[in-house]
Amino acid sequence: MSELSSLNRRGFMGAVGAAGALGIVSAGSAPADAAGRATPQAATGAPGSLSRKGGFELMEATVADIHDAFRRGRLTCRELVRQYLDRIAAYDKRGPALKAIISVNPRALEVADELDRRFRRSGLTGPLHGIPIILKDNFDTSDLPTTGGNTAMRDSLPPADAFTVRKMREAGALILAKANLQEFARGGNSVSSLGGQVLNPYDLTRTPGGSSGGTAAAIASNFAVLGTGSDTGQSIRSPASAGCLVGMRPTRGLISRRGVIPNSITQDEIGPITRTVEDAARLLDVMVGFDPDDPITAFGLGRTPRSYLDALRADALRGARIGVMNNLFGTEERHQEVNRVMEDVISTMRAQDATVIRFDLPAYDALQSVVANSDWEAHTAMDAYFASLGPDAPVRTFDQLVASRTAVPEVQKTLETELAVKDGLNDPQYKDRTLNRDKLRLAVSAKLAELDLDAILYPLQKVLVSPVGVPQPERNGALSHGTGFPAVCFPGGFSTPTEAAPLGVPVGAELLGRDYSEPLLLSLSYAYEKATKTRKPPRSTPSLTR
């Protein structure tokens, strides 16, 4: 059932009025003054600084925390949504002005009221009942525009939800907002013509990574509980790394991509971006499943557990064999901050009784630059997406989009390059790259078997996330996107604090494993999370005094 199926027009208009009063219905609106309702206070990270509503602590709240508060009568969905809307109003266009959000669901409070009514009748109606989610704005929503961050697409309303969005709503989730992103997910800085440049809440002089940087900045700043991203190269894991978050790129075929603006037929994957491993597992439970309209998901049939939560063990590192891939680490001075954090990660894993084996994989160095094939697939993939929008869509073909010249310059150049590829799927270069992907997959599989490894550990990025305006260099996403193997990025630690980054800049560690090893990867990440409690909220978006 749609989350809005029982709402009448009067309820809808009430929600529009409430959201409009906040000034956050769209990216271009200016939030109203929040004085007297919510004012920032200094954040220390200590429990005493957390927002409270009837004993409920909003900051860093998990799905389990919220459901427990619902059951105990300490919180309603409306109260929860109201607090998140206040935080968006205070910090997205004001304060640090993160520009993480493109649009807020104008019906959010009315949907929350309906979820509260359902809860009073029958308790929790699904595993994500009443949980606010922020979607990267390339996930189709039938009740909100799906823009890809592009001004020509600002009024593009898809005819149906993406497959995974429908599953989230059926699980009881509330779609709170759509997040800014690198326009059309083409790049790693998270800047778009519609939403502007997203800032990293841990260091406002830096980007949040990308392309799912708006989602990551929002979840890191406690604008919602859960978020989603898409990952063609490393676009879930790069912002998870830069935002002290958990991000998962799943096995190819585990999750349907239908209804997500594409880059590629073979490289695209979607997945969760969350503050904890447990919440990533909860969202993954809902997102997985066979979709006949994305036939690659047939490979996932019978390969998913009853629940990914069942695999999570605090002692999972005990006896685990972790390979550290040396050639995914830098060796120069600019790499030292990341390397220091990663050595701490390795030491912690050893202290948890994991066996660590260092190795080199020369095949990766030879192949990593010749496995990406999105340029050859983009035209076909994009035209298929635009055809799904129907004849009244503001943009109906990839040619029309590129001709509009509405994208930011770096993305416009990428789109023009993609459009210039003729007969891409039959191009000899495309066929060579497809073969190279198989070569890399074989090389990684063979090394896992030779060393009897459970997973491979490496930094998602060899250097700290870039300052605004500087491209993101030296990312290691190809190990996963070039093989189709799953990877989980989790908070590894922080760089040395500076004036611009009072906690330091987050550094993400990543674990990669064999096909359908998500339960193991999540469990290993969970064990590290529990042993270190690395996650800290940013100081630029502290709790609000209510």
Side-chain angles (χ1 to χ4, degrees):
M1 178 184 295
S2 166
E3 66 174 8
L4 301 171
S5 61
S6 65
L7 299 181
N8 57 27
R9 171 142 182 97
R10 180 178 179 184
F12 163 67
M13 293 306 294
V16 169
L22 281 172
I24 50 177
V25 173
S26 66
S29 55
D33 188 356
R37 183 181 67 244
T39 55
Q41 64 182 27
T44 65
S49 70
L50 300 178
S51 299
R52 297 178 183 272
K53 178 72 174 179
F56 173 73
E57 297 181 348
L58 179 73
M59 297 292 284
E60 303 293 281
T62 66
V63 173
D65 293 334
I66 290 165
H67 282 174
D68 181 66
F70 286 166
R71 292 188 188 99
R72 294 173 180 268
R74 295 177 177 173
L75 182 71
T76 66
C77 187
R78 168 175 269 269
E79 291 167 344
L80 179 67
V81 169
R82 173 80 275 161
Q83 291 184 68
Y84 282 131
L85 291 176
D86 285 351
R87 291 188 60 76
I88 293 170
Y91 296 131
D92 194 59
K93 303 299 184 290
R94 299 174 57 214
L98 298 180
K99 297 186 179 179
I101 302 299
I102 282 184
S103 62
V104 167
N105 186 349
R107 298 174 172 135
L109 291 171
E110 304 305 317
V111 174
D113 287 341
E114 172 60 18
L115 288 165
D116 284 333
R117 285 190 288 271
R118 294 181 191 175
F119 181 78
R120 288 192 294 270
R121 288 195 303 265
S122 54
L124 298 177
T125 60
L128 298 181
H129 179 97
I131 300 300
I133 292 181
I134 291 176
L135 302 173
K136 185 177 183 179
D137 200 13
N138 59 352
F139 281 66
D140 280 357
T141 44
S142 61
D143 53 351
L144 293 167
T146 298
T147 72
N150 178 255
T151 54
M153 297 278 288
R154 70 165 71 239
D155 297 319
S156 183
L157 192 65
D161 286 341
F163 179 82
T164 49
V165 173
R166 176 177 60 79
K167 286 172 66 68
M168 291 174 209
R169 295 199 211 245
E170 289 172 348
L174 183 152
I175 307 305
L176 181 66
K178 307 290 287 290
N180 198 2
L181 66 158
Q182 179 82 6
E183 197 160 353
F184 291 115
R186 262 59 168 192
N189 285 21
S190 294
V191 59
S192 71
S193 62
L194 186 57
Q197 173 67 62
V198 186
L199 301 182
N200 189 317
Y202 290 92
D203 182 343
L204 298 173
T205 70
R206 295 180 185 266
T207 80
S211 61
S212 309
T215 300
I219 299 303
S221 301
N222 286 270
F223 289 177
V225 189
L226 306 174
T228 66
S230 62
D231 191 309
T232 304
Q234 47 263 311
S235 289
I236 289 172
R237 297 161 292 143
S238 166
S241 173
C244 200
L245 298 168
V246 178
M248 166 166 273
R249 177 187 170 96
T251 303
R252 185 167 184 245
L254 191 68
I255 299 178
S256 169
R257 291 92 39 96
R258 176 165 60 90
V260 179
I261 301 175
N263 279 18
S264 165
I265 298 166
T266 58
Q267 281 182 236
D268 286 354
E269 300 297 339
I270 63 174
I273 298 176
T274 62
R275 290 186 289 269
T276 69
V277 175
E278 182 177 311
D279 277 351
R282 290 182 189 277
L283 185 51
L284 191 63
D285 276 345
V286 171
M287 294 179 77
V288 300
F290 172 64
D291 176 8
D293 291 322
D294 188 1
I296 193 69
T297 55
F299 289 125
L301 281 174
R303 306 299 298 271
T304 58
R306 184 191 68 85
S307 172
Y308 289 96
L309 293 170
D310 295 341
L312 303 185
R313 295 191 298 109
D315 65 348
L317 285 164
R318 184 179 302 159
R321 292 178 60 83
I322 306 296
V324 174
M325 190 165 157
N326 295 323
N327 49 319
L328 292 182
F329 289 71
T331 59
E332 300 181 21
E333 181 62 30
R334 68 180 182 276
H335 303 118
Q336 294 314 302
E337 286 280 13
V338 169
N339 289 351
R340 175 185 59 78
V341 170
M342 290 304 300
E343 288 302 321
D344 288 344
V345 173
I346 291 166
S347 295
T348 297
M349 288 187 171
R350 282 181 168 147
Q352 295 294 305
D353 294 327
T355 298
V356 174
I357 303 99
R358 295 180 186 265
F359 70 94
D360 290 285
L361 189 65
Y364 177 82
D365 294 332
L367 292 169
Q368 61 91 16
S369 65
V370 288
V371 292
N373 53 19
S374 56
D375 281 358
W376 287 264
E377 296 178 338
H379 198 163
T380 298
M382 289 291 278
D383 273 345
Y385 174 78
F386 287 126
S388 75
L389 298 179
D392 297 326
V395 177
R396 293 181 294 281
T397 67
F398 190 43
D399 294 73
Q400 181 187 349
L401 171 68
V402 176
S404 74
R405 301 192 62 81
T406 50
V408 294
E410 64 194 88
V411 174
Q412 182 68 29
K413 182 178 179 180
T414 298
L415 297 175
E416 290 172 358
T417 299
E418 293 171 352
L419 185 64
V421 175
K422 302 300 182 184
D423 200 19
L425 301 187
N426 293 314
D427 190 308
Q429 288 189 72
Y430 176 71
K431 295 179 180 181
D432 287 345
R433 285 174 175 253
T434 300
L435 179 60
N436 289 339
R437 294 172 68 82
D438 286 339
K439 289 178 180 178
L440 182 59
R441 182 176 171 85
L442 178 60
V444 174
S445 296
K447 187 58 69 172
L448 285 163
E450 174 192 338
L451 300 178
D452 190 24
L453 299 177
D454 292 303
I456 297 173
L457 175 70
Y458 51 93
L460 184 280
Q461 189 160 297
K462 295 178 184 179
V463 293
L464 298 180
V465 68
S466 292
V468 170
V470 177
Q472 303 294 328
E474 300 189 76
R475 298 191 291 178
N476 290 324
L479 193 67
S480 178
H481 83 66
T483 61
F485 291 145
V488 176
C489 186
F490 58 92
F494 291 84
S495 70
T496 303
T498 65
E499 183 176 352
L503 294 174
V505 178
V507 174
E510 185 153 301
L511 286 166
L512 175 137
R514 298 171 178 84
D515 281 345
Y516 304 104
S517 63
E518 283 87 354
L520 175 60
L521 298 177
L522 287 167
S523 192
L524 295 171
S525 304
Y526 179 80
Y528 181 84
E529 177 184 86
K530 293 302 180 186
T532 63
K533 298 179 173 59
T534 301
R535 162 78 194 163
K536 298 176 185 176
R539 290 186 177 176
S540 67
T541 55
S543 61
L544 298 175
T545 302
R546 300 189 64 81

